[in-house]
Amino acid sequence: MEMTNRNKTKAQLTLELAEMRRRIKALEAARLKGQDAEKALRESERRFRTLSEATDAMIFIFQGTRYIYVNPAAERVTGYSSAELLGMNYWDLAHPDFKELIRERGKTRQLGQKVTGWYEYKIIAKNGEERWLDQTASYVEYDGRPAVIGTAFDITDRKRAEERIKLQQLQLIQADKMATL
């Protein structure tokens, strides 16, 4: 019996079946690799959340003009709730003396341009108190768009101590001048 083009030989069918099995294995391996990647991503996110929620450092992400992530330390230092912070522009907390500087650096950073990554500045907490922050920030992509991730430490106590030392030094200088008269 002669076979036509529509009919395949047993050898051809065996080869096609082997090729289909190879492709199924490759697809299964890709699926498993994807599951492994998803698992690794979930684990990485879990570790980040655990770290960011346990640290005393403020951790934040802003995109465009708004905060899109703040950790509990940001709430403790500023006195604002997470929901309130997420409704703010990233420069809204800045003391008036620093507001424009913070706004410009954040904007420049999101454009991918070089800008100082570390600085100290004052904020106004919800209760009206002035607080000092020691902040570092850098450019990241978040959901495919430019953003800034940063950390900040409350250094208010250190700044107050520095001011007391300066005042004491001035008083000593004055007292020394008075003693020499």
Side-chain angles (χ1 to χ4, degrees):
M1 179 173 169
E2 187 175 316
M3 301 192 112
T4 64
N5 285 343
R6 290 177 32 171
N7 296 329
K8 297 186 179 187
T9 67
K10 183 178 179 181
Q12 289 172 320
L13 290 172
T14 303
L15 285 175
E16 286 181 11
L17 183 58
E19 177 62 18
M20 283 186 209
R21 285 183 179 146
R22 186 192 65 73
R23 287 184 183 176
I24 289 170
K25 276 187 178 181
L27 288 171
E28 181 63 18
R31 184 183 67 80
L32 291 174
K33 188 175 181 180
Q35 286 178 344
D36 289 346
E38 286 178 27
K39 182 179 177 185
L41 178 61
R42 282 192 305 274
E43 180 61 22
S44 177
E45 289 171 346
R46 185 192 65 73
R47 282 193 302 255
F48 173 78
R49 290 255 181 228
T50 300
L51 172 68
S52 70
E53 290 175 5
T55 186
D56 286 333
M58 293 174 55
I59 299 175
F60 57 87
I61 301 172
F62 62 82
Q63 191 171 52
T65 63
R66 301 286 183 168
Y67 288 110
I68 58 174
Y69 173 79
V70 294
N71 72 338
E75 294 177 281
R76 286 191 302 275
V77 171
T78 67
Y80 289 97
S81 71
S82 177
E84 289 172 311
L85 289 166
L86 294 176
M88 296 176 138
N89 294 314
Y90 64 85
W91 63 83
D92 287 345
L93 291 171
H95 183 278
D97 293 347
F98 295 91
K99 199 172 288 278
E100 188 59 25
L101 172 76
I102 299 305
R103 190 184 72 73
E104 281 303 313
R105 285 187 177 172
K107 180 180 166 185
T108 302
R109 188 169 279 114
Q110 288 183 82
L111 293 172
Q113 298 172 1
K114 292 270 186 198
V115 64
T116 301
W118 169 83
Y119 40 99
E120 296 178 352
Y121 67 98
K122 278 193 289 192
I123 64 167
I124 306 293
K126 187 174 182 176
N127 66 4
E129 181 184 14
E130 293 181 1
R131 313 265 332 145
W132 277 94
L133 299 181
D134 178 329
Q135 177 178 299
T136 59
S138 57
Y139 172 91
V140 294
E141 279 198 18
Y142 188 87
D143 287 338
R145 295 188 358 236
V148 173
I149 187 169
T151 59
F153 291 92
D154 183 350
I155 58 167
T156 305
D157 291 341
R158 186 192 88 198
K159 286 291 197 176
R160 288 177 181 159
E162 288 171 355
E163 285 301 314
R164 284 192 302 272
I165 290 169
K166 284 181 188 176
L167 182 59
Q168 289 172 347
Q169 287 173 335
L170 287 174
Q171 289 171 341
L172 285 172
I173 291 169
Q174 292 286 352
D176 193 39
K177 284 182 182 179
M178 296 298 277
T180 59
L181 291 178

